[in-house]
Structure formats: structure tokens, C-alpha cells
Amino acid sequence: MLEPLKEVEEQQPYTISEMNHTSTPFLSDILENITDGIFCLDDFGRFTYLNSTAESLLERSRTDLLGASIWTCFPESSGTPLYDYYLAAVTTQTPQTFELWFAPLNKWFEVRTYPGRQMFTTYFRNITMSKNNEIALRESEEMYRMITENSTDMISRIAMDGTYLYVSPATKTLLGYEPEALIGSNVFAMLHPDDFRFADELTEKSLNDVRIDLGSYRIRKKDGTYIWFETTARTILDNSGLNKEVITVSRDITARKHVEKQLRETNELLQKISTVDALTGVANRRGFDECLLKEWKQGSRMSTPLSLILVDIDFFKRYNDSYGHIEGDFCLKRVAESLKKAAKRPGDFIARYGGEEFVIILPSTDALGARTVAEHLREQVELLQIPHTRSEHSPYITISSGTATMIPNHDTEPSELFLRADKALYQAKQEGRNVVRLYHRDE
């Protein structure tokens, strides 16, 4: 195995003259194949050498440049920073390194000059692409900075523990703080006590979601008051792919929240108005229909009885004719109030069905319970002792009632319960009024 090494050692070494003889073409090959452009100038600024890369970068051939002055070949260079750097290097005999925008070629160059005795050597390379990228990046950063600093939204960088790392100037307008005053403070400490779900969403959601819509929450201002914020967040990952921080964009939606509240209250009021009888204050027929359907579904799910009482004021048309409609309306109000007091369980529902008829829904109430409530209603109205001289059975206002009870099911419509109570009411009127009658299937 040592034979090749021994053979190498026995070779006759190069002499100095042989090395000098072979080095010239060797160095020439290197200079012609490197990616940097190289040119040399004599004391008069004339080109004495250019490598092939220099020809390419300068977009001129050696035939055009060798022996000619650089300032003659490129007259645009006179009076530019290139000329100043050249003079500084020649005068001080000190190497210079600089970046240069060369307008005639529309290129950026990185230049290194090495002045010497009777020769001025320059290395240069095209950095146009990286320089343009650098300029584009700087312009992009300036644009984002301008957007951030002038945005009416508050833009923040927040560490995963909630610490503010950066806050845009909008915080002064929105929260009353100078941006620097919030750096290092914790966003969670500024939340309204009822809105700490925001903290849970930020820590839990951000574990998996890149973009997080945190919705609305309240945040404390410098003066101690609270405003409504709406925030969108985006997680920033580190080199390991782990969550590093969160970028948030927040805006004040307090005015919108007030409008939403007013709209909600208005809708609730309209809903209430649409289901309440304006005269008596109890529910109207629409409210009754909605309640009956709801209780029917509930009874069907739970297999519990549902009872209904249909009430009619006896001889009310005669009352109106005798006392007038104003007294008639007053009578309806007093009867409705009496019914509300009598049917006072939380689930009991009273509605004016139309004219002088009222209807009471009794959830989870069997037939016996419905009869008991109906008798109580009748007694309470009679105790009002509202005079009625044209009644055939009493000197006072009275009511007749019909009750019906069913266990709701999916095969029967809720209207069947009302029809049965109506039949029972008809029977009560036929049997003398001021009585309660229960619906029986055989009727």
C-alpha cells in the first residue's frame, strides 16, 4: 500500500523557475472563471486588464475597453460617487469598499478597490437583485409601519402569557394609554371580570388555530371605564413551529353594541306588543297560539297532561248595550286581572281569545286540577260584584267555563284540545251559565 506514496516522494520537485512558468496560465484560468468582475487601470485610468465576468457586467468587450480611459468609456461616471471613491483610493492608497448604483447600466454593484504602484485593481459584483429585495423589504416595512401607526384599529403583539410586546399609537385614542405605557403589562389584567372567557379562548384556541376570531369583550380604559373591543388574532410561530406570540387587531365597537342592545330591546318590545292584548294586558290570540304549541311539544316529550280552560263572560253583549263600551272595556280589564290573580302558578298562561272570551293553559295539570282552577276563577270573578242588571242568573258579572285535558302526542293537533274545551263551554252555557263543565269523550 505504500508503493504509490514512495513513488510520489521520489518524484523530482518543481523548481522555482518551473513554478513561475506554470503559474501565469493557472492564475489566468482562475481570474477568467470567477464570478466577480475584475479590471485593472494604469496611472492614467486606462484599462489594462478585464476578465470575462467584467465584460459581461459592464456590457462592453475588451476590444472596446483595453487601452481606453474608464472616464472616456463611461463619461457618466465623472462627478459621481464612483469618481470620488477612485480619487480617495488613489490619493490615500487605501483600499475602498462600497456599494454603487450605476445608472448607465441600471445596476447595483458591490465594489472593492485596491490601489497599488502603477496599477489600480477593482473587484465588483452585481448585487442588483439583493439590493432591490432589500429596498422592497424596507419599503414594505415602512408601508406596514405607516399603516400600523395611522390605523384607527389598535394593533398589538402579545406574548403567549398575555404580555404586550408592541402596541400601535391607536391605543392613545381607544384606551387613553400611551403605547409605551402598555408594553410589559398584561392584557388579561385589563379585561372585564365577566369576560375572562377571552383569556381561555386566547390560550386554548391559539394552540391549534392560526387565525382566531375572539369576538367581542370589554376592556378597561385608563380612566377605569370599559369599552367593547372586537379582536382578530393571528399566531406567529418560532423556528420550531411552536407558538411564539400573537398579533391582534382590535377595534372599538361600543357604539355598535349600544345599537345592538337598543335593537334587541326594540325587537323584544315589538314581540311583546305583538303577543299582548292592548286592552287587558294579558296575552292575545297570537300569544296563546305560540304558547299552546310550545306546551303541546313539551307535554308530548314528557308524556304529561295538558289542560285548557275556555272562559266566557255571561251575557256580555247585554252589558255593553246597557252600560256602554267604555264600561264594557273596564269590565274586561277587571275580569282579566281577576283571572291573573286566580291562575297564579308560574306555568299558568292567560290570554284574551277574542271579545269576551279568555283562555287559560295549565301545563302538567290533570282534569281534576283543571276543574279546581276553573272553579276558583269563577268564584273570583263573582266576588268582583260588577253590577249587571240585565243578566238572567245573577245581579253581577259571572263567567262560564269549559275545561279539557289531554296528554299531547305527535298524532294529534293542539287545536283538538281547544275544540274539546269549547264543547265543554257550550255545555256550561246550555246548563244555566256561571258554572264549570269538563269535556267528556262521550259528549
Side-chain angles (χ1 to χ4, degrees):
M1 293 180 63
L2 297 177
E3 290 300 321
L5 293 176
K6 183 177 180 181
E7 183 179 345
V8 170
E9 290 175 354
E10 292 175 353
Q11 291 288 336
Q12 181 70 27
Y14 285 119
T15 65
I16 296 299
S17 60
E18 289 176 322
M19 291 181 68
N20 288 337
H21 177 73
T22 59
S23 63
T24 300
F26 176 70
L27 292 176
S28 178
D29 287 343
I30 292 177
L31 294 177
E32 289 299 316
N33 288 283
I34 64 174
T35 57
D36 283 1
I38 300 175
F39 65 80
C40 298
L41 306 176
D42 62 15
D43 291 341
F44 299 98
R46 294 174 298 195
F47 285 100
T48 59
Y49 172 77
L50 295 90
N51 68 352
S52 57
T53 302
E55 288 184 283
S56 176
L57 293 176
L58 296 176
E59 300 179 8
R60 300 282 289 273
S61 68
R62 299 181 198 183
T63 304
D64 294 337
L65 298 178
L66 288 176
S69 169
I70 185 173
W71 313 117
T72 301
C73 296
F74 299 98
E76 305 91 343
S77 302
S78 298
T80 67
L82 175 62
Y83 188 73
D84 295 336
Y85 281 121
Y86 171 76
L87 290 179
V90 171
T91 303
T92 64
Q93 289 293 295
T94 303
Q96 301 281 333
T97 300
F98 53 91
E99 292 179 353
L100 176 73
W101 166 250
F102 196 55
L105 298 179
N106 199 31
K107 295 177 183 177
W108 275 96
F109 291 115
E110 181 184 79
V111 183
R112 288 169 291 159
T113 61
Y114 298 93
R117 296 180 61 185
Q118 299 181 345
M119 185 170 67
F120 185 86
T121 305
T122 300
Y123 292 76
F124 65 108
R125 65 178 61 179
N126 186 356
I127 60 170
T128 304
M129 181 177 295
S130 62
K131 199 69 177 176
N132 288 342
N133 290 339
E134 178 185 325
I135 293 172
L137 178 60
R138 184 168 61 251
E139 290 176 347
S140 177
E141 290 176 346
E142 291 174 354
M143 179 187 69
Y144 284 124
R145 185 179 298 108
M146 180 185 68
I147 293 173
T148 300
E149 293 180 353
N150 291 280
S151 173
T152 56
D153 291 346
M154 176 175 153
I155 302 172
S156 311
R157 286 176 51 215
I158 304 176
M160 298 311 297
D161 62 357
T163 302
Y164 280 115
L165 304 175
Y166 166 81
V167 184
S168 68
T171 186
K172 174 67 175 177
T173 303
L174 297 178
L175 299 178
Y177 290 99
E178 295 294 339
E180 298 78 11
L182 286 184
I183 305 302
S185 62
N186 196 289
V187 62
F188 300 140
M190 301 172 65
L191 297 182
H192 190 282
D194 296 338
D195 293 335
F196 273 100
R197 59 169 182 78
F198 169 80
D200 297 332
E201 290 177 0
L202 183 59
T203 53
E204 293 177 6
K205 279 191 173 184
S206 59
L207 295 178
N208 302 309
D209 299 342
V210 174
R211 186 180 184 279
I212 317 159
D213 186 358
L214 297 173
S216 59
Y217 59 94
R218 283 159 292 183
I219 190 166
R220 189 179 65 253
K221 297 175 62 176
K222 186 177 181 179
D223 62 9
T225 61
Y226 286 88
I227 63 172
W228 282 96
F229 255 20
E230 182 180 68
T231 296
T232 300
R234 187 176 185 88
T235 54
I236 304 299
L237 306 181
D238 61 18
N239 294 332
S240 302
L242 300 176
N243 290 331
K244 177 183 178 183
E245 61 187 51
V246 180
I247 303 297
T248 65
V249 179
S250 306
R251 59 183 56 87
D252 183 358
I253 60 167
T254 305
R256 192 183 83 191
K257 278 290 185 179
H258 287 326
V259 171
E260 289 176 354
K261 180 182 179 183
Q262 292 174 352
L263 182 60
R264 184 169 59 252
E265 291 174 348
T266 300
N267 287 337
E268 291 173 355
L269 178 60
L270 290 174
Q271 177 67 21
K272 182 178 180 180
I273 291 174
S274 68
T275 56
V276 172
D277 178 61
L279 177 63
T280 62
V282 298
N284 59 17
R285 183 166 180 173
R286 177 179 176 179
F288 163 72
D289 290 338
E290 292 178 358
C291 182
L292 179 60
L293 180 59
K294 181 188 71 172
E295 295 298 344
W296 187 268
K297 290 179 179 178
Q298 177 70 10
S300 178
R301 286 194 298 268
M302 305 299 293
S303 296
T304 53
L306 180 65
S307 293
L308 189 146
I309 304 173
L310 189 57
V311 174
D312 184 81
I313 301 177
D314 297 328
F315 303 110
F316 187 72
K317 185 177 183 303
R318 295 182 185 180
Y319 184 90
N320 261 343
D321 292 341
S322 299
Y323 297 93
H325 289 288
I326 294 178
E327 285 297 321
D329 288 348
F330 184 62
C331 175
L332 288 171
K333 291 179 182 179
R334 294 186 65 187
V335 169
E337 189 64 31
S338 179
L339 296 178
K340 283 196 295 184
K341 290 180 180 179
K344 55 187 177 181
R345 294 186 311 171
D348 296 346
F349 182 87
I350 301 174
R352 182 185 178 193
Y353 193 75
E356 68 272 23
E357 284 190 328
F358 294 87
V359 62
I360 298 93
I361 299 174
L362 304 173
S364 302
T365 304
D366 58 17
L368 181 59
R371 182 185 182 94
T372 300
V373 174
E375 284 289 354
H376 185 52
L377 295 175
R378 186 190 65 77
E379 292 171 358
Q380 291 301 308
V381 171
E382 196 170 28
L383 288 174
L384 291 174
Q385 294 190 345
I386 301 173
H388 190 356
T389 58
R390 294 189 60 186
S391 174
E392 296 181 3
H393 300 285
S394 172
Y396 303 110
I397 285 289
T398 59
I399 58 173
S400 299
S401 303
T403 73
T405 301
M406 295 179 65
I407 295 180
N409 60 77
H410 297 295
D411 299 326
T412 307
E413 292 296 325
S415 57
E416 177 62 26
L417 181 62
F418 181 85
L419 292 175
R420 293 184 181 188
D422 190 47
K423 289 180 180 180
L425 175 61
Y426 179 77
Q427 182 186 0
K429 290 181 178 181
Q430 291 297 105
E431 296 182 4
R433 303 177 190 264
N434 194 23
V435 294
V436 174
R437 290 294 178 262
L438 278 65
Y439 171 83
H440 296 289
R441 188 179 294 276
D442 57 353
E443 293 178 349

